[in-house]
Amino acid sequence: MKIYNTMSRRKEEFVPIQPGKVGIYVCGPTVYDLIHIGNARPMIVFDTLRRYLTHRGYEVNYVSNFTDVDDKIIKRANEEGVSADEISEKYIAECRKDMESLNVLPATVHPQATKEIPDMIGLVEKLIGGGHAYEKNGTVYFRTRSFPGYGKLSHKNIDELESGHRDEAHQLKVSGESEKEDPLDFVLWKPKKEGEPFWKSPWSEGRPGWHLECSCMSAKYIGGTLDIHAGGEDLVFPHHENEIAQSEAANGQPFANYWMHNAFLKINGEKMAKSLGNFFTVRDITAQVDPMIVRFFMLSVHYRRALNFSQELVQDAGTSLERIRNCYDKLKEKAGTGTPLGEEEEEKKKEADILLEKFDAAMDDDLNTADAISAVFEFVRTVNAFLAAGISGELAGIFLKALSTVMEDVLGVKLAREAGLLDEEVEQLITERTEARKAKNFARADEIRQLLLEKGIVLEDTREGVKWKRT
Ligand code: AMP
Ligand code: ZN
């Protein structure tokens, strides 16, 4: 498999450190609110990477953290008059629900910063001992210039960074970090302010800096060098650059061999972000749209390309998925007949292997889910033609297994329909209701509206006719 490595800016052949095993670390969300569908992009993309590597026979150790100590969490806790723990525990639980609805597998471990404080203090001590960090008035800073490779991931030159920071003298005073030896230095440990959660440490009662947790927890749960480190592209600098500096300065070995970064989910050409207020939560979207359509939509574009979000584009993804599901339904029905494979079907049977080969070839090319989905559509077209001409139950079973392997096991898009009404069934009932109304049979018309409502379908009578949506 080839993976585009942000570090080398090239696609590289993936070679794991230990044959047959892969250790992946993915930076997880800060848990102060419901996640938005931009946050869901790395979750879905790297869950798909994990599933694909598993499908190729690797044993995958997948670690993804919850950042549960952070200014935003503390702010929210103070606003609501509850503890920071209450906020983070609540939103971890909510995040897990969203992940489950999007069929994102739970990580092997989901470490939490607040539960790893002693290890983080140990890492800071090691960095101080090695001359890579220093303490000033209870704050510990990383001595950025003590790490020669700084900037290698984001391809930034340390001297340019320095000049970019020149105007920061004033800013540093404001942020209370004026005692830094160098504006490039960043915080490893900071003392508490009034009303903030804190832990005891050799330097002050306080809390760890954000970058530190990922360096610490990835080493603890994966160890040594990571095979793959991943996250959204906004994390390249400074977060991942700082993680590398901390980890490599402390351990003297490469931190991660492959760096993968997903591009943004955008809305009207802008990054979807809490701070911009242009976001939709996963909770809101999945209340309106089948979460499997959302997942399919996310995978319809390669992960390194920006993906524009709009209700129309999601609907289009729904229509495309419907074509695959219709084929799946027909295959399932046919497979149930159990009729044996005919001799003349040997040639047709090869289509299952062709699908798997083309699918894997696309995924091997830096997880190209867009091309992988094209291979599925080609397969569906061929199989639909076979179905129209008639096939045995056994052949349908073979096709069904191939389709389910790529769509469900690897892409994580469930094909079986939730117990509810199919679009055509809804349309049929609406037609029946319109006819009942024309015939002035209002009792029947109302009955149908009620029936649809019970199945989660809301009707709206408009001038252009009846419109409907799922609640
Ligand atoms: P945060 O909670 O902001 O640290 O984000 C958690 C993860 O979501 C990180 O990997 C971010 O890079 C990613 N992320 C945030 N916003 C977007 C977006 N609009 N599109 C894609 N990924 C995003
Ligand atoms: Zn991280």
Side-chain angles (χ1 to χ4, degrees), residues 316-377:
D316 290 349
T319 310
S320 299
L321 181 58
E322 193 57 27
R323 272 164 56 207
I324 300 173
R325 281 180 161 165
N326 283 339
C327 178
Y328 172 86
D329 289 342
K330 282 185 268 177
L331 285 173
K332 204 163 187 183
E333 197 187 325
K334 196 79 207 173
T337 63
T339 50
L341 194 74
E343 247 171 63
E344 75 294 351
E345 288 187 323
E346 283 300 333
E347 197 56 32
K348 289 182 177 167
K349 197 175 114 181
K350 290 184 186 149
E351 290 299 329
D353 292 332
I354 293 173
L355 167 66
L356 291 169
E357 270 164 37
K358 285 190 177 167
F359 181 89
D360 286 1
M363 297 293 273
D364 275 346
D365 182 15
D366 189 30
L367 206 74
N368 195 332
T369 52
D371 284 359
I373 289 171
S374 298
V376 175
F377 279 119

Side-chain angles (χ1 to χ4, degrees), residues 1 60 146 197 236 239 353 357 376 422 433 449-450:
M1 178 183 195
V60 184
S146 76
V236 174
H239 184 54
D353 292 332
E357 270 164 37
V376 175
L422 306 180
R433 173 173 171 267
R449 178 189 274 274
Q450 191 53 37

Side-chain angles (χ1 to χ4, degrees), residues 194-212:
E194 193 52 40
E196 288 186 351
F198 65 90
W199 291 264
K200 282 200 166 68
S201 82
W203 317 288
S204 58
E205 289 186 337
R207 60 187 161 104
W210 169 41
H211 314 300
L212 194 67

Side-chain angles (χ1 to χ4, degrees), residues 152-221:
K152 64 182 172 181
L153 178 71
S154 52
H155 305 274
K156 287 184 194 293
N157 175 306
I158 199 158
D159 293 315
E160 281 166 21
L161 279 171
E162 185 79 72
S163 62
H165 277 73
R166 236 171 245 152
D167 294 336
E168 277 197 356
H170 170 68
Q171 225 181 315
L172 287 177
K173 279 210 183 82
V174 176
S175 63
E177 293 179 7
S178 54
E179 73 269 22
K180 275 186 188 181
E181 286 176 3
D182 185 324
L184 286 177
D185 296 349
F186 58 89
V187 172
L188 298 175
W189 184 270
K190 61 176 159 192
K192 67 175 180 191
K193 289 197 205 104
E194 193 52 40
E196 288 186 351
F198 65 90
W199 291 264
K200 282 200 166 68
S201 82
W203 317 288
S204 58
E205 289 186 337
R207 60 187 161 104
W210 169 41
H211 314 300
L212 194 67
E213 66 180 272
C214 293
S215 281
C216 180
M217 300 188 296
S218 58
K220 179 163 175 183
Y221 294 101

